[in-house]
Amino acid sequence: MENVPRVGVAVFVLRGKTVLLGRRRSSIGDSTYALPGGHLEFGESFEECAARELKEETGLDIQKTDFLTATNTIFKEPKPAQYVTIFMRAMLDNPQQVPQTLEPDKCYGWDWYNWEDLPNPLFWPLEKMVQSGFNPFPAE
Ligand code: 8DG
Ligand code: MG
Ligand code: MG
């Protein structure tokens, strides 16, 4: 593909004090823990993209989706890529719903992780956000 910046949408699905993460199977960030998400498609809103990617990757349904922040990330490996990534936050429609690994070629599996005890290694854009003190939970 032509070398142009692409738009990613990633979503912090919050459940209690935990967030949903999955270990990536991908040329970008292989084996690291990342948020569900993917590429913005033509005509989509950020909310629609977050809900669609989450549904495709985990089967989960969300509500109360809102915008948190955006990043501009340049990946040098395995080949140059640039993503403007939109980070959304959402709650589960039904807190009992269990994430499924619907794209096993792209993710080893999903689980809930306590924000104070995140797994290693995190996907590096996410690692950078955590290190900068970013917190996706609403202020109490
Ligand atoms: P698609 O074909 O389903 O649209 O794409 P995908 O295979 O699900 O794409 P992805 O790599 O999961 O997400 C697109 C890009 O978004 C990713 O390559 C880089 C950027 N991105 C971040 N942080 C995160 C994150 O925490 N999770 C995800 N999934 N993507 C992220 O910068
Ligand atoms: Mg996807
Ligand atoms: Mg994805």
Side-chain angles (χ1 to χ4, degrees):
M1 186 193 274
E2 194 195 346
N3 242 349
V4 294
R6 303 186 74 189
V7 181
V9 175
V11 52
F12 289 93
V13 184
L14 306 184
R15 196 188 70 165
K17 291 181 173 163
T18 67
V19 302
L20 185 69
L21 298 174
R23 230 173 114 224
R24 289 171 69 82
R25 292 185 81 154
S26 166
S27 56
I28 300 184
D30 191 49
S31 276
T32 63
Y33 291 87
L35 302 166
H39 299 90
L40 186 71
E41 290 184 357
F42 187 79
E44 262 181 343
S45 68
F46 298 151
E47 289 78 5
E48 286 165 346
C49 181
R52 176 184 54 74
E53 283 289 340
L54 185 72
K55 187 80 180 172
E56 288 173 2
E57 296 183 354
T58 72
L60 297 172
D61 295 303
I62 45 179
Q63 54 164 334
K64 294 187 192 158
T65 309
D66 43 36
F67 171 83
L68 292 183
T69 191
T71 58
N72 181 11
T73 304
I74 295 160
F75 297 91
K76 299 213 165 73
E77 307 275 341
K79 56 182 187 317
Q82 180 172 6
Y83 278 94
V84 171
T85 307
I86 307 300
F87 290 85
M88 306 296 284
R89 165 175 71 204
M91 314 293 281
L92 287 178
D93 238 353
N94 165 9
Q96 314 294 345
Q97 225 191 330
V98 174
Q100 298 164 262
T101 309
L102 296 181
E103 295 180 342
D105 54 323
K106 287 189 179 182
C107 178
Y108 290 98
W110 300 101
D111 211 341
W112 302 99
Y113 295 91
N114 199 298
W115 186 252
E116 305 305 327
D117 190 17
L118 292 171
N120 277 304
L122 290 175
F123 189 30
W124 77 260
L126 185 60
E127 175 68 29
K128 251 193 331 189
M129 290 170 81
V130 171
Q131 298 222 341
S132 76
F134 179 83
N135 187 315
F137 288 83
E140 280 169 40

